[in-house]
Amino acid sequence: MSDLTISLVVPVYNEEASLPLFMEAFRKARETWPFAADVTFVNDGSSDSSLALLRYYSEQHDDVHYVSFSRNFGKEVALSAGMDHAAGDAVVLMDVDMQHPFEAVPRFVEVWQQGNAEMVYGVRNADNEETAMKRWTSRLFYRFFNMLAHTTLPEGGGDFRLLDRKVVDALRSLPERNRFMKGLYAWVGFTTCAVSYDQPARAAGKTSFNYWKLWNFALDGIVSFSTWPLRVWSYLGVIVALLAFVYGTWVVLQTLIWGANVPGYASLAAGVMFLGGMQLISIGVLGEYLGRLFMETKGRPLYVVAEKKVARVASDDSGKGAGQS
């Protein structure tokens, strides 16, 4: 493995407390690895001193590079930018909060080098820090997504993974702006293998994710990889129309044959409100897809780089990044 170079891609957002710990652990781990390694940090519009630290580390170490966005573009975009600028034979995606252990990286590389997989993803063992609610909602999302989408997500497979160079190139060729990376990893195919690891506690700082962000993240994933939310309204429309026809026929027969009174305003108001609510929901679903289509058709770059110091510059035909050195 001595002739291999593994590039770590690490998104950073307000992680001034975690960066020194990450760098210390990286220096120690790199000395024991039987392969060369470098790290590319992507500063995702941090408002603390994260960028200043990245500048300092890149000046002190030749194997440390960084890309800094002009504003916050989100973790999914930061991962894409890191892959645009990583130069290694394989790329390992990691978090800076030390919850992705360096000890797992050689195991990823070993499985990859054995030819067992072109993509090796980490699956964490039981996480005692997560609430039962979060574990339950995570399992529910994976099952719901796999039921609706043609692309199957391996349950528990996160961003912590090793990607062969051809997998990286395949991901970089995808033009979409609304990027649900877990789905894209699965969509490009290639042989995959899972490696379990123990997730340590977060080293410093606090996570920026909350249930609202996770909900929107899940919604992006489902809308990006499934048209079922659109199709279901066609089925519901047919069912409601049939029920309305049957009910209308029954009302007419009651009136003509038995002379029964037509149901009053209460049932009429309930029916109108029910159908109005269904129409608003269906319009909202259409809006979700139309909004994403609108963002795609504008053709804006995926991110804007304010400054960078990297080993590799993204190719001009990638169509996703813009900025200056």
Side-chain angles (χ1 to χ4, degrees):
M1 296 187 185
S2 58
D3 57 342
L4 289 175
T5 299
I6 305 299
S7 293
L8 309 182
V9 168
V10 184
V12 175
Y13 179 65
N14 292 338
E15 294 285 0
E16 60 183 3
S18 298
L19 274 169
L21 302 175
F22 183 93
M23 280 301 302
E24 181 181 0
F26 171 66
R27 305 313 308 177
K28 291 180 179 178
R30 192 178 183 280
E31 293 175 357
T32 64
W33 289 345
F35 47 81
D38 59 51
V39 57
T40 299
F41 294 101
V42 182
N43 177 44
D44 188 19
S46 298
S47 57
D48 60 3
S49 61
S50 295
L51 179 57
L53 287 171
L54 295 180
R55 290 175 181 144
Y56 171 77
Y57 293 138
S58 66
E59 291 172 357
Q60 297 297 314
H61 307 286
D62 293 334
D63 55 359
V64 176
H65 318 289
Y66 73 90
V67 177
S68 183
F69 290 164
S70 61
R71 63 170 178 83
N72 179 261
F73 283 89
K75 183 181 179 181
E76 307 294 284
V77 175
L79 291 171
S80 299
M83 286 187 278
D84 282 343
H85 295 86
D89 301 293
V91 172
V92 174
L93 309 178
M94 298 183 69
D95 287 345
V96 72
D97 58 12
M98 303 292 291
Q99 291 193 294
H100 294 162
F102 285 97
E103 293 80 7
V105 175
R107 294 163 56 199
F108 287 3
V109 175
E110 183 179 0
V111 172
W112 169 60
Q113 280 291 282
Q114 290 172 350
N116 296 330
E118 293 153 311
M119 188 185 323
V120 184
Y121 63 91
V123 177
R124 62 190 176 193
N125 296 322
D127 187 357
N128 296 326
E129 289 197 350
E130 281 194 343
T131 63
M133 181 65 175
K134 189 173 181 180
R135 290 194 295 268
W136 179 78
T137 53
S138 177
R139 288 194 298 268
L140 182 64
F141 166 73
Y142 279 103
R143 292 174 184 174
F144 192 62
F145 182 95
N146 290 334
M147 181 177 66
L148 301 183
H150 298 294
T151 301
T152 301
L153 298 184
E155 187 168 346
D159 290 319
F160 186 31
R161 61 183 63 214
L162 177 144
L163 309 175
D164 185 273
R165 171 51 54 185
K166 56 187 173 184
V167 179
V168 173
D169 291 339
L171 289 168
R172 292 185 62 222
S173 70
L174 301 179
E176 59 231 64
R177 269 64 184 168
N178 294 293
R179 301 178 75 81
F180 177 67
M181 294 304 297
K182 290 182 178 64
L184 296 181
Y185 301 142
W187 185 89
V188 296
F190 298 101
T191 56
T192 61
C193 183
V195 172
S196 61
Y197 68 94
D198 293 323
Q199 177 175 281
R202 184 179 175 89
K206 295 181 179 179
T207 179
S208 60
F209 276 95
N210 52 46
Y211 280 108
W212 178 247
K213 289 184 178 180
L214 291 174
W215 160 254
N216 285 289
F217 183 65
L219 185 62
D220 284 339
I222 292 172
V223 172
S224 296
F225 284 87
S226 175
T227 58
W228 182 87
L230 289 173
R231 188 177 298 117
V232 71
W233 289 104
S234 298
Y235 299 144
L236 287 175
V238 171
I239 293 172
V240 170
L242 288 175
L243 291 175
F245 177 78
V246 171
Y247 179 69
T249 303
W250 171 247
V251 170
V252 171
L253 290 176
Q254 276 188 315
T255 305
L256 294 179
I257 299 175
W258 295 288
N261 292 327
V262 177
Y265 291 107
S267 59
L268 179 62
V272 170
M273 287 188 292
F274 172 72
L275 293 176
M278 289 190 62
Q279 290 173 344
L280 289 175
I281 294 173
S282 63
I283 292 172
V285 172
L286 288 172
E288 289 289 337
Y289 283 88
L290 184 60
R292 284 159 176 77
L293 181 62
F294 174 66
M295 296 300 294
E296 296 291 339
T297 55
K298 287 192 289 189
R300 291 175 180 171
L302 185 59
Y303 54 86
V304 178
V305 176
E307 63 176 275
K308 61 187 176 184
K309 180 183 178 183
V310 295
R312 167 181 175 170
V313 178
S315 59
D316 292 337
D317 60 353
S318 68
K320 294 186 292 181
Q324 60 185 15
S325 300

